[in-house]
Amino acid sequence: MKKIVLFAFLIALIHTSFAQTSDDSWQSMYRASAPKINDIVHTKLDVKFDYGKAYMYGKEWITLKPHFYPTDSLTLDAKGMDIKEVSIMKGVSKSSLKYTYDSLQLRINLGRTYKAGESYTIYIDYTSKPNERKTHGSAAITDDKGLYFINPKGDDKDKPVQIWTQGETEANSVWMPTIDKPDQKSTEEIYMTVPAKYVTLSNGLLISQKKNTDGTRTDYWKMDLPHAPYLFFMGVGDYSIIKDSYKGKEVAYYVDKKYAPYARGIFGHTPEMIGFYEKILGVPFQWAKYDQIVGKDYVSGAMENTTATLHQESAYQNARELVDGNSWETVIAHELFHQWFGDLVTCESWSNITVNESMADYSQTLWTEYKYGKDAGDEENNKGLTEYLSSPDDDKKNLVRFYYADKEDVFDLVSYQKGGRVLNMLRNYVGDSAFFKALNLYLVTNKFKNGESHQMRLAFEEVTGQDMNWYWNQWYFGNGHPKLNIDYNYDDKAGIAQVIVSQTQESGKIFKLPIAIDVYTGAKAVRSKVWINDKVDTFTFNYTTRPDLINVDADKILLCEKTDNKTSANFIHQYKYAPKYIDRKEALDYFEKQGMKELSLGLKDKYAPLRKSTINALAASKFATDDEVVKSIEELAGKEKDKKTLAAALTFLSKINDNKYLPLFNKYVNDSSYSVSGAALAGLATLQPDKAYDLAKKYSVDAKGTLGDVVTEIFTANGSEGDYDFVADRYKNAPPGQDKYDMTGPFCEYLAKIKDETKIKQGIDYIIQFSKQIPEQYRTFTDPAIKGSLDKISKAKGDGIADYISKSWK
Ligand SMILES: [Zn+2]
């Protein structure tokens, strides 16, 4: 699964502003793996949907056998259902069984004792009612419904009618009685009866389709290979299916008709990704096909249902958005990697989610490195590190988590971002060939079964011949990360350099860290491999000429926070001669912080994102109007191929407010990239506001991303009544997250300028609706800020509107 952080900025704000009043009661809640009394062997379902009631009528034939000890009973998870019949199959006939049901679990008396290996099939006739489930209180459950009916009656003309399911963690038992635990595996057949105008998607292969006389069609999906219950999936809707293939297997993309022309632009790397992952893992893609589908109002980022990955709508990008780079590509890579790590070998319990999620997180780095080069891979890796470090509370959590309050809690920055970096260090330590051979051994040994972190360790020990307990104890079964202080002493007389590395983390835990240190004389580096073992370690190097740079952690793999007390000259040398993305980034960050003009070295960096971040850093620095810097950026703007970097350059130049840039802005204002076009339009807006307004009008029919932002800014500044639809729709349609929160102030500013009361009130409604969608924990920040913006409308418009706001605000 891939979760999307909607309120990234606010989360950071909360972490930095408040000492957490943390509830540590989870620390005593041990989470054992689910005991196996009966094992599911096969699940056969026959389902029909009632769109009017948002019910699903199901018939299930579930085949099980006792795991080891004989048993005369079976407990199935079955959440919020109506159970009509429970029988045992005897050949083709049924014999009813005694059972009790408490709306969560179905306890069945099997009538006699079954021995290990003796299989039996239970028949259940039931109705699934996902929208009528209640929590312990009376509130309806919204986040683990399992089965989602989207706009089922078609009331909302702007919304497609869809059905999709979301199983992880234990929600598929809302629509099928099962043992809803990750340590179960079952083969699967589903007969789905749906209105004939829709297409369906499920796990495995579509074997047959049968038209019924009542306007419905029954699709028969079959999955011959066993997988865990949380990976079962059904999707129904009015989709276009775009088909690719990989080695003869179907690779298809289920998208809204509107996005059919762009489906290959979004998902088209999938076959190449399958080939890449097969190659590095040495394990062929095991499943019959690989499809991806996009769900309206999907509750998470994306989900790796076996052979049927579900994505949220952020996957949708049109051709112009794709020109700026596919923002969803790493999610596609992440979910695909789960088809091995998660689906083929499944975490034995949620405590061991690292064997699914850390792997999938790290796969984003692997794919990016393979496809776009080492710098891009290192940037992706570093993004994960930065995200983990932004959440200081996560310092307390072990990667393998036997203690937690709620099973959903393990889907966090530790299991994903930190775990991914732990794998990156491991790869560096054992070397590429051992790393991938160990992953191969883990997969081959445990395929179609479960794995826990120890099995991963055993695979690495077998391949490398090394004891790896120290690594697993430190990183998987322990918490935190090192905080390093690095000092340098040079004794030119004696020709001795000292590197002193101190571990300053408050926990007192001391980390063992194998690293490389490169000692540079000119462009030449001599490498030493050393271990950091103690609270303070001193490494000594002899020299005849004082080194230009001693580069600690030369491969830049450490998961740590550090204060590296190098000199400015060292950092300049590092930028010029140390080869890694992080080497250059660290140096540029240092120049920025110190206000050094060497920052402009980054304008010529070989990696576009570093050129881009350099331009942005220069724009905010005292060099924003420096002649040389401006000239360099003018030159860059003349030849830059990377669209986002070009956009940054145009934005930089637009702040200079000089008519000589008019030809440049006019050249790019029609660019296919929304970023470039938007940046050029912003440039015109200061120099030729009337022309910019006319262009904003013209472009408003197709303005997303930066271009949409700039058009909105121009319309807001102008305050014309006629632009209401664009400004209001853009606000209304923004997903309820950080960006929308940031749009709220300017939207109020616009509403304060227009006259039509109906429009003003509608705009206010949109804002208040959004304010109520913000998760409770952020409301102490967001409520006063949003109310403050609304008050500006009251002030401008008088008592009528003020009353309307105060009434609606409640
Ligand atoms: Zn995932």
Side-chain angles (χ1 to χ4, degrees), residues 1-3 168 302 304 334-335 338 356-357 360-361 416:
M1 186 157 40
K2 179 89 188 171
K3 298 212 164 177
E168 195 169 33
E304 68 272 19
H334 175 119
E335 303 309 325
H338 273 312
N356 291 12
E357 293 302 351
D361 183 276
Y416 288 67

Side-chain angles (χ1 to χ4, degrees), residues 201 239-246 250-275 290-295 298 301-303 308-319 322 325-336 367 371-372:
L201 175 64
Y239 287 99
S240 289
I241 306 172
I242 312 303
K243 290 191 179 178
D244 271 342
S245 71
Y246 177 76
E250 176 185 292
V251 175
Y253 322 123
Y254 285 57
V255 297
D256 282 348
K257 298 217 151 67
K258 200 174 115 190
Y259 282 93
Y262 318 119
R264 278 208 177 79
I266 300 163
F267 297 108
H269 285 317
T270 307
E272 187 184 349
M273 283 177 186
I274 299 175
Y290 187 63
D291 292 337
Q292 296 173 82
I293 185 168
V294 182
Y298 177 47
M303 178 64 209
T309 287
L310 172 61
H311 293 276
Q312 69 156 243
E313 288 165 283
S314 307
Y316 284 143
Q317 298 155 83
N318 66 26
L322 289 165
N326 185 349
S327 63
W328 207 248
E329 189 164 317
T330 52
V331 180
I332 294 166
H334 175 119
E335 303 309 325
L336 174 63
W367 165 257
K371 184 69 183 170
Y372 303 103

Side-chain angles (χ1 to χ4, degrees), residues 432-450:
D432 271 21
S433 60
F435 181 77
F436 292 112
K437 194 160 185 220
L439 296 189
N440 170 277
L441 182 62
Y442 169 83
L443 288 170
V444 170
T445 309
N446 302 296
K447 68 178 182 176
F448 302 113
K449 296 192 291 188
N450 294 90

